[in-house]
Amino acid sequence: MRKMLAAVSRVLSGASQKPASRVLVASRNFANDATFEIKKCDLHRLEEGPPVTTVLTREDGLKYYRMMQTVRRMELKADQLYKQKIIRGFCHLCDGQEACCVGLEAGINPTDHLITAYRAHGFTFTRGLSVREILAELTGRKGGCAKGKGGSMHMYAKNFYGGNGIVGAQVPLGAGIALACKYNGKDEVCLTLYGDGAANQGQIFEAYNMAALWKLPCIFICENNRYGMGTSVERAAASTDYYKRGDFIPGLRVDGMDILCVREATRFAAAYCRSGKGPILLELQTYRYHGHSMSDPGVSYRTREEIQEVRSKSDPIMLLKDRMVNSSLASVEELKEIDVEVRKEIEDAAQFATADPEPPLEELGYHIYSSDPPFEVRGANQWIKLKSVS
Amino acid sequence: MAAVSGLVRRPLREVSGLLKRRFHWTAPAALQVTVRDAINQGMDEELERDEKVFLLGEEVAQYDGAYKMGFAGIAVGAAMAGLRPICEFMTFNFSMQAIDQVINSAAKTYYMSGGLQPVPIVFRGPNGASAGVAAQHSQCFAAWYGHCPGLKVVSPWNSEDAKGLIKSAIRDNNPVVVLENELMYGVPFEFPPEAQSKDFLIPIGKAKIERQGTHITVVSHSRPVGHCLEAAAVLSKEGVECEVINMRTIRPMDMETIEASVMKTNHLVTVEGGWPQFGVGAEICARIMEGPAFNFLDAPAVRVTGADVPMPYAKILEDNSIPQVKDIIFAIKKTLNI
């Protein structure tokens, strides 16, 4: 009773403009938390895996829901802007894979590190940048997180190293970041992501080798969305047990559509690395609704039925929503409210991203070198002299 | 941390101990130091000065078995995360496997991130022709790396260059490629007093006039600088005074020094070990035409380069695939029409 009254008074004090339904929602009694069963992970070279049950608090649940919905709507907005030709070039969308970026972030600290390949918008958001900065970078404006210099595949944030365009190159980089973590001795870990397409690359095995030899706190993560561009995993890999491909590196196969499963696996992996045992490998089994990029309709190598089946049975946002509603962690109306807020946030961001000016031509030559005095950069002919400022 | 940093920092301390003892025995003015020792000294001083600096590479320190693309990427990642790695390639030919990491992950990142993500890394190792190592191990990469904005590329000739440039490279917050030369490692040079200081730095982007002259400007980098000085000595006896410029840096290139010299001598010969097409000399010639020095030329600028062939193995063939002193003299005389 007391809880209910407190909830009501909290709402009422800030509810001057809120519609009546808001007050109604707040007067219901929600559970503070609930325990859920999650799928057991397949293990490679591990005696034990992550727990098969987990506790989700209402607060966390709402946070994850909002984050996943934000990533979802942001990616769909990017799709729209691309079709309007306001976004150009490369655009690799991650809708369907929201449980991965949000779940991974939920299992680590902001002081940990993360690097991924080009399907990076979701991670850019979960690592702390705003939708505004991300969309404005996609539209190539000066308000973009890289001032319009990078575009879709080159977004950076604190402890987030992109956004990398060359397939697989980010994996040795991630091992190097893990090396720095170990060198600095602050118990930080580095999440190093790659896809099923990149998983057969030689440099990844080089990185596995060195990470294992030097016991680097590196969590290698294969985001297996079943297709490397248009090639299904069965046609690409002699072994599709990506969680075992690290050979001497222990691995886990994780349900990448269930955010709680991802979170628990990440917590488990991070604890493993922090204890000094060396690297570990996670395979997140997930799915992307869009094609590989905006130039791929995504239906020439897979059926619409398959896509529809995943959407109706395994959508990560739907799974979380159902869990929360069925265990009274939240109400349908409340979650709809969040949807409305998220839509507005995305709309505002898209407005900004469309209206913000392009970077000034004078800055074309900027940011060649770090920490240097200004110097001259050659333009398209010898008379065009650009200034370069660090 | 101790395990990793010990692996890559300890052995050089042992070397530096030896070097320190040598200093106490000889008078500074007469100090002879090989290029190899100069590099090691420079690295050791920088390792001592900043604990973020560390070494990584093939067969470096006690570590056997690092592999090219992997370890170059690891080095770049460590630099992104705030350390200051010195990544050694056994030769720059191996860097071709890792070149994606050097260019796409290191050189371009500060620009692509809009100034957010610096990459303070040094890539070093022997570049260009050696002796009898044949085609796959003899390529000069000055032109390839010099092509790329975002990279700095230096090419030391003597011991002083080697020490001053490696130290500047390590202290630079940008990716720097240091193109050394295997045949120069064992060559001793006189080490001037200022080079013996722990803070001796040679600025990146500044060439040095090794020999003053009035009749012709001869521009070179790395080992061929020595050949140019030999040619200049021979020609001096015939009354021709060559101004020999040691570029020291490939990118950013010091055109001012070269132009000022050409405006004085009215003649230009460039000398390099790499192939002629799209090479360092080609770039110098193009820029001379665009600048004030063009109007001062009394003859077309001339290039002396490696032969346009993959490096052969047989000694007589190899000797004739790189610029020899006689080739430089011939080119100078042709330019001066004598």
Side-chain angles (χ1 to χ4, degrees):
Chain A
M1 180 63 181
R2 234 180 287 131
K3 259 194 217 165
M4 187 184 80
L5 285 173
V8 171
S9 74
R10 257 203 312 278
V11 171
L12 285 175
S13 59
S16 41
Q17 278 112 18
K18 300 248 163 63
S21 61
R22 192 78 169 93
V23 179
L24 226 82
V25 159
S27 66
R28 267 175 57 181
N29 215 351
F30 290 114
N32 261 337
D33 55 52
T35 305
F36 296 103
E37 276 176 21
I38 51 178
K39 210 186 272 180
K40 187 174 189 305
C41 296
D42 293 326
L43 302 178
H44 170 68
R45 287 189 190 268
L46 284 166
E47 294 298 318
E48 286 177 354
V52 292
T53 62
T54 182
V55 174
L56 175 66
T57 66
R58 173 176 147 78
E59 195 186 331
D60 280 346
L62 290 172
K63 182 172 82 176
Y64 302 156
Y65 181 85
R66 180 183 292 269
M67 283 174 84
M68 288 203 287
Q69 195 66 281
T70 305
V71 172
R72 173 68 57 91
R73 299 245 67 94
M74 176 178 75
E75 296 292 78
L76 293 178
K77 178 56 72 175
D79 168 281
Q80 199 180 64
L81 291 170
Y82 195 92
K83 286 171 175 152
Q84 294 175 296
K85 298 196 198 291
I86 300 172
I87 296 178
R88 319 172 305 127
F90 289 123
C91 194
H92 306 88
L93 301 176
C94 70
D95 49 309
Q97 299 184 207
E98 295 86 356
C100 294
C101 54
V102 178
L104 285 171
E105 190 64 35
I108 54 171
N109 306 321
T111 46
D112 290 318
H113 307 258
L114 195 148
I115 188 170
T116 186
Y118 45 76
R119 201 174 303 281
H121 308 157
F123 291 103
T124 314
F125 174 73
T126 54
R127 281 265 92 188
L129 292 194
S130 67
V131 180
R132 252 166 99 92
E133 295 174 278
I134 296 171
L135 287 183
E137 186 59 35
L138 290 176
T139 57
R141 308 302 164 95
K142 70 179 187 15
C145 53
K147 305 187 172 81
K149 299 290 257 306
S152 171
M153 300 190 296
H154 307 297
M155 302 191 196
Y156 298 80
K158 188 168 198 312
N159 297 341
F160 175 59
Y161 304 83
N164 288 277
I166 306 295
V167 176
Q170 76 281 7
V171 178
L173 294 179
I177 296 161
L179 175 70
C181 289
K182 182 159 183 169
Y183 196 99
N184 291 326
K186 288 193 254 174
D187 280 339
E188 293 163 5
V189 299
C190 181
L191 274 56
T192 302
L193 287 102
Y194 55 96
D196 48 278
N200 302 309
Q201 274 213 5
Q203 60 185 322
I204 293 185
F205 292 88
E206 290 183 35
Y208 288 161
N209 183 47
M210 282 178 271
L213 267 171
W214 285 334
K215 290 201 174 2
L216 302 180
C218 187
I219 306 178
F220 293 103
I221 302 173
C222 179
E223 249 181 318
N224 177 5
N225 60 19
R226 305 196 216 165
Y227 298 93
M229 284 187 32
T231 307
S232 69
V233 293
E234 296 78 38
R235 287 176 55 227
S239 161
T240 56
D241 290 333
Y242 295 102
Y243 70 111
K244 290 186 185 169
R245 299 287 292 277
D247 187 8
F248 35 79
I249 297 180
L252 296 166
R253 182 151 59 190
V254 181
D255 179 359
M257 302 306 268
D258 176 357
I259 195 202
L260 297 180
C261 206
V262 175
R263 183 183 74 172
E264 285 313 307
T266 309
R267 283 178 175 165
F268 177 87
Y272 180 93
C273 283
R274 283 189 233 278
S275 69
K277 296 197 187 100
I280 191 169
L281 209 160
L282 298 181
E283 175 190 342
L284 305 181
Q285 294 190 302
T286 184
Y287 199 83
R288 53 166 163 81
Y289 296 141
H290 267 85
H292 165 72
S293 70
M294 287 305 295
S295 47
D296 169 24
V299 288
S300 59
Y301 48 86
R302 50 186 195 172
T303 62
R304 289 184 206 272
E305 289 74 43
E306 180 188 282
I307 304 171
Q308 199 33 50
E309 171 143 18
V310 176
R311 259 196 218 276
S312 55
K313 298 218 178 97
S314 320
D315 184 280
I317 300 177
M318 178 193 77
L319 288 179
L320 178 64
K321 174 172 157 187
D322 288 348
R323 271 184 166 146
M324 289 187 67
V325 167
N326 294 340
S327 52
S328 297
L329 285 178
S331 72
V332 172
E333 293 80 22
E334 185 176 22
L335 297 179
K336 278 213 173 84
E337 272 269 337
I338 293 179
D339 291 350
V340 168
E341 283 165 16
V342 167
R343 261 183 224 267
K344 180 159 194 323
E345 186 188 341
I346 305 299
E347 263 322 305
D348 286 349
Q351 271 279 40
F352 172 72
T354 316
D356 201 41
E358 285 189 290
L361 211 46
E362 297 79 62
E363 293 183 16
L364 173 61
Y366 282 26
H367 313 124
I368 301 275
Y369 294 135
S370 166
S371 330
D372 270 10
F375 65 100
E376 211 170 73
V377 162
R378 190 191 164 98
N381 63 39
Q382 70 203 61
W383 297 280
I384 300 174
K385 294 179 209 274
L386 304 162
K387 188 168 176 207
S388 187
V389 168
S390 286
Chain B
M1 170 178 165
V4 174
S5 65
L7 206 64
V8 296
R9 290 170 64 89
R10 200 180 351 115
L12 278 164
R13 288 187 202 285
E14 289 156 5
V15 174
S16 106
L18 282 167
L19 287 169
K20 283 192 182 116
R21 267 177 282 162
R22 243 178 252 153
F23 283 153
H24 292 139
W25 292 348
T26 46
L31 186 63
Q32 293 266 310
V33 176
T34 62
V35 171
R36 176 188 294 113
D37 287 344
I39 296 170
N40 281 337
Q41 201 182 110
M43 287 200 291
D44 199 49
E45 285 170 9
E46 295 306 303
L47 281 163
E48 183 95 47
R49 177 181 174 270
D50 182 354
E51 61 168 20
K52 289 204 182 68
V53 178
F54 73 99
L55 273 185
L56 184 67
E58 295 170 286
E59 305 286 320
V60 157
Q62 293 162 310
Y63 186 58
D64 294 338
Y67 300 96
K68 296 122 203 175
M69 207 160 163
F71 80 75
I74 284 184
V76 175
M80 287 180 175
L83 296 183
R84 304 185 74 90
I86 306 169
C87 179
E88 178 181 299
F89 291 117
M90 197 172 285
T91 83
F92 266 99
N93 300 283
F94 303 137
S95 78
M96 246 206 287
Q97 290 202 303
I99 203 163
D100 172 63
Q101 298 289 5
V102 178
I103 306 301
N104 283 319
S105 302
K108 297 178 183 172
T109 294
Y110 193 68
Y111 187 88
M112 292 193 298
S113 66
L116 287 180
Q117 179 63 72
V119 186
I121 187 169
V122 172
F123 296 101
R124 56 160 290 262
N127 175 60
S130 180
V133 293
Q136 292 180 345
H137 290 81
S138 305
Q139 186 171 334
C140 175
F141 287 84
W144 284 30
Y145 286 121
H147 191 53
C148 301
L151 270 190
K152 294 190 183 179
V153 182
V154 299
S155 181
W157 164 54
N158 62 10
S159 303
E160 186 185 331
D161 288 355
K163 180 176 174 185
L165 287 173
I166 194 91
K167 284 168 76 75
S168 291
I170 294 166
R171 294 191 196 190
D172 202 304
N173 285 337
N174 296 288
V176 183
V177 169
V178 182
L179 301 171
E180 298 159 10
N181 188 296
E182 193 179 0
L183 297 174
M184 296 303 292
Y185 280 153
V187 180
F189 288 91
E190 198 171 293
F191 225 44
E194 61 273 15
Q196 295 166 34
S197 149
K198 282 201 172 139
D199 284 308
F200 171 65
L201 299 171
I202 288 180
I204 295 179
K206 199 87 190 72
K208 182 182 178 202
I209 299 176
E210 296 287 349
R211 183 188 194 283
Q212 299 265 6
T214 46
H215 296 122
I216 185 164
T217 300
V218 183
V219 184
S220 186
H221 73 96
S222 190
R223 184 160 177 263
V225 171
H227 299 325
C228 293
L229 289 168
E230 276 182 66
V234 168
L235 286 165
S236 181
K237 295 196 192 95
E238 298 175 38
V240 176
E241 294 303 328
C242 301
E243 181 145 289
V244 177
I245 298 179
N246 171 7
M247 290 175 70
R248 287 179 159 178
T249 299
I250 305 292
R251 182 174 192 117
M253 202 181 286
D254 180 1
M255 272 317 284
E256 271 175 28
T257 301
I258 299 173
E259 279 173 332
S261 175
V262 172
M263 282 156 77
K264 186 175 77 172
T265 68
N266 311 123
H267 298 85
L268 175 62
V269 168
T270 68
V271 183
E272 67 197 284
W275 292 317
Q277 199 158 323
F278 309 108
V280 174
E283 176 67 16
I284 293 173
C285 291
R287 288 211 214 177
I288 284 287
M289 289 213 282
E290 292 174 351
F294 172 71
N295 288 312
F296 288 78
L297 281 174
D298 287 345
V302 158
R303 300 173 293 161
V304 179
T305 68
D308 204 9
V309 294
M311 183 66 72
Y313 168 65
K315 186 162 192 337
I316 186 175
L317 299 180
E318 187 182 59
D319 286 347
N320 283 279
S321 298
I322 53 165
Q324 301 174 70
V325 177
K326 65 169 173 67
D327 302 322
I328 302 172
I329 293 173
F330 188 89
I332 290 172
K333 285 185 166 173
K334 270 286 203 190
T335 310
L336 290 170
N337 208 14
I338 52 180

